[in-house]
Amino acid sequence: MTLLSKRLQAVYQMVDAGTRVADIGSDHAYLPVELIETGVIPYAIAGEVAEGPMSRSKADVEKFGLSDKIDVRLGNGLAVINKEDNIDTVTIAGMGGILICDILSRATEAQLSNVKTLILQPNIGEPLVRHWLIEHGFEIIDEDILSEDNHDYEIVKAIKNDSVKELTEAQFLMGPVLMSKKSDAFVKKWQRKLNGYKKAVANMHNAKQIDEDKISKMQQYIKYVEEIL
Ligand code: SAM
């Protein structure tokens, strides 16, 4: 039986077999444990900034006899990775997009030098994450979207590519791969968002002080979403 929620299961599915993974902000370390126990990967680091979850995960990893394959390390962001760990894949899940970008921006060149793949699952602020990836030479090669506990979650997988292509505004907003897959979960999310944008524009028109910039931004979003749906 899996320990993983539907959200973490979707992150798990994106990890390539045989890679060496650092899961940053691992909390309970469920993702590395599942990846190791199912034989998908040979080695993982579970990085965690908070002492409590880190000690609990360490105890669990020892209890399950996985200490030789999972290193549970206390530290801020990618500071838990050393060059000799040969980590090629970093996963960061269950945080806001701002925090994910902040963690990635604070990584040194040495910490990122072997990293070829980033698998990111922001709870909010997905466009920010896509901007960070493109600006730092990571090409988005896969995306997934799912709904769990009344929240839409998106997962973005990107690989290092020195000649990465710029995205359109609509692609930053909705996700280049998600737009082409156009799954039921994607259509549902954007239909709901579209209704929200339309209501917001109507309310802004009725406001005492009309914010033309905000209205035109919202109308731009409406146009992008209507074109895709
Ligand atoms: N990744 C797990 C998941 O998706 O279920 C846990 C998500 S939990 C909401 C976020 C975790 O990230 C917390 O345990 C928190 O302590 C940790 N965290 C926050 N900022 C961090 C940082 N800069 N470096 C490492 N861990 C961090």
Side-chain angles (χ1 to χ4, degrees), residues 93-213:
M95 304 176 205
I98 294 178
L99 182 53
I100 291 179
C101 293
D102 186 51
I103 288 175
L104 291 170
S105 295
R106 278 190 283 116
T108 63
E109 241 171 69
Q111 284 155 2
L112 271 175
S113 60
N114 291 323
V115 175
K116 293 180 189 70
T117 306
L118 294 175
I119 301 170
L120 309 174
Q121 182 269 300
N123 288 344
I124 50 165
E126 297 85 356
L128 285 177
V129 169
R130 293 192 183 97
H131 274 285
W132 190 95
L133 290 169
I134 302 306
E135 280 160 23
H136 293 82
F138 282 89
E139 179 192 357
I140 297 171
I141 57 158
D142 200 4
E143 290 178 312
D144 198 1
I145 181 168
L146 62 105
S147 179
E148 187 172 53
D149 301 331
N150 289 323
H151 191 95
D152 294 311
Y153 294 105
E154 296 186 7
I155 301 106
V156 182
K157 177 176 183 177
I159 53 166
K160 191 85 192 121
N161 178 348
D162 290 335
S163 51
V164 63
K165 270 200 295 203
E166 186 58 28
L167 299 183
T168 64
E169 276 300 313
Q171 287 175 319
F172 279 121
L173 180 69
M174 303 167 84
V177 182
L178 292 176
M179 279 163 71
S180 59
K181 284 186 182 169
K182 231 181 182 179
S183 66
D184 289 349
F186 173 87
V187 172
K188 261 193 203 142
K189 169 181 173 166
W190 287 104
Q191 265 164 351
R192 214 190 43 251
K193 285 273 206 188
L194 186 61
N195 293 337
Y197 292 153
K198 286 182 175 169
K199 272 190 200 138
V201 169
N203 288 340
M204 282 191 270
H205 276 302
N206 292 331
K208 275 201 186 115
Q209 250 185 337
I210 295 186
D211 185 340
E212 292 295 348
D213 286 349

Side-chain angles (χ1 to χ4, degrees), residues 4-5 7-8 11 23-32 47-51 53-54 56 73-80 91-96 99-100 102-104 106 121 123:
L4 302 183
S5 59
R7 171 182 63 80
L8 278 180
V11 177
D23 183 39
I24 304 299
S26 199
D27 193 359
H28 34 60
Y30 288 167
L31 181 63
E48 179 47 62
V49 80
E51 185 115 30
M54 193 281 297
R56 278 193 298 275
R73 294 184 186 164
L74 185 67
N76 197 334
L78 274 70
V80 293
T91 56
I92 311 181
M95 304 176 205
L99 182 53
I100 291 179
D102 186 51
I103 288 175
L104 291 170
R106 278 190 283 116
Q121 182 269 300
N123 288 344

